[in-house]
Amino acid sequence: MTLLQARGLVKSYGPTPALRGVDLEVAEGEILAVTGPSGCGKSTLLHCLSGILRPDAGEVLYGGQRLDTRSEADRSRLRRTDFGVLFQFGQLVPELTAAENVALPLLLAGQGRREARAAALTWLERLDVADVADARPGEMSGGQQQRCAAARALVTEPRVLFADEPTGALDALAGERLLACLTRTAHERHTSIVLITHDASVAAYADREITLRDGAVDPTGLGADIAPAPTGGRR
Ligand SMILES: Nc1ncnc2c1ncn2[C@@H]1O[C@H](COP(=O)(O)OP(=O)(O)OP(=O)(O)O)[C@@H](O)[C@H]1O
Ligand SMILES: [Mg+2]
């Protein structure tokens, strides 16, 4: 069943077009990769889908209901309850331990301390970082920090996780470990993921991939890097 849908999304920043009529659907529990070269509109699309930005034209439907026409307050409430966001840099609070960082969204939502900590520990386990529960970000590797940030994005049990280049700051091994944990958890819990990446090896973790080129979905479905590099390598 379709959970999230975009129809004819158009968005410009002043004279700069970023999206020029994007249609897409994300099914419940589906991991959709959005690939494409720098500047093709990936982040803008994510911001429109998650209700951070309002498109200039077109519509976003979540659970069959218009999202883009709701008020700012309504959209931010929905982001807190139904959506999770993971960026390239996890942006953990440096003064707090891993467990405290992950518990934070639950405490802000009014949950009790003991319950929030228990849930945080469960999520740290799911993301394979239970061993650093009491460490602060400065004492963790980049990969551990990012898996902890993923736990924090998922602790509220969102129906959609929006991830914008979540492995962008990690080496290949740490990236694979994050993606393995994320995709396993998403499939187990039926969480949809919109996974933005410019990296074909990251997109390979998704159930399906679409490619944006100049603000529109490439109908051939082939990435921007289909033209072989002069050396014959992929990039
Ligand atoms: N806040 C902004 N103000 C003005 N122009 C912007 C802004 N954000 C993005 N743009 C422009 O909109 C277009 C799409 O940008 P966007 O950030 O969505 O691309 P992207 O695919 O996420 O790129 P990258 O892979 O480099 O992150 C680009 O031409 C960019 O320069
Ligand atoms: Mg971007």
Side-chain angles (χ1 to χ4, degrees):
M1 203 193 97
T2 301
L3 183 59
L4 189 64
Q5 185 175 13
R7 288 188 196 144
L9 284 189
V10 173
K11 177 74 190 174
S12 297
Y13 300 97
T16 311
L19 300 177
R20 302 192 289 185
V22 172
D23 297 305
L24 68 79
E25 286 186 12
V26 186
E28 245 173 64
E30 181 181 38
I31 303 178
L32 175 73
V34 179
T35 59
S38 182
C40 70
K42 302 183 297 295
S43 296
T44 304
L45 175 62
L46 182 141
H47 291 143
C48 288
L49 291 175
S50 60
I52 293 170
L53 277 180
R54 261 205 176 127
D56 301 332
E59 37 189 62
V60 177
L61 295 119
Y62 172 66
Q65 309 263 354
R66 280 295 281 275
L67 179 142
D68 54 292
T69 48
R70 296 206 209 168
S71 71
E72 189 81 47
D74 261 13
R75 283 181 286 136
S76 57
R77 192 172 319 117
L78 191 71
R79 277 201 302 281
R80 280 197 304 274
T81 57
D82 287 42
F83 298 162
V85 189
L86 179 61
F87 296 106
Q88 182 170 352
F89 300 98
Q91 293 158 330
L92 296 172
V93 181
E95 293 80 12
L96 301 181
T97 65
E100 288 166 348
N101 265 286
V102 177
L104 201 56
L106 298 178
L107 295 175
L108 293 175
Q111 249 190 48
R113 275 189 180 276
R114 191 184 292 245
E115 253 189 314
R117 179 168 168 92
L121 292 177
T122 301
W123 277 97
L124 287 169
E125 243 161 61
R126 288 190 181 128
L127 275 297
D128 233 1
V129 270
D131 51 328
V132 292
D134 295 314
R136 292 193 167 72
E139 302 159 341
M140 292 153 54
S141 74
Q144 288 170 333
Q145 288 182 44
Q146 197 62 346
R147 295 207 299 286
C148 178
R152 185 181 57 182
L154 290 168
V155 74
T156 53
E157 311 241 347
R159 298 189 63 201
V160 186
L161 176 72
F162 294 97
D164 195 348
E165 301 279 3
T167 61
L170 303 180
D171 65 38
L173 202 64
E176 281 168 23
R177 198 155 170 204
L178 172 72
L179 289 164
C181 289
L182 267 185
T183 50
R184 186 193 60 222
T185 314
H187 284 141
E188 275 170 16
R189 314 199 55 86
H190 223 57
T191 311
S192 305
I193 303 183
V194 179
L195 173 62
I196 291 192
T197 181
H198 61 270
D199 185 338
S201 67
V202 172
Y205 281 83
D207 301 317
R208 192 160 62 86
E209 175 180 350
I210 61 165
T211 302
L212 284 190
R213 285 172 77 85
D214 293 334
V217 177
D218 184 341
T220 68
L222 297 171
D225 48 2
I226 55 165
T231 56
R234 266 190 76 76
R235 54 189 70 232

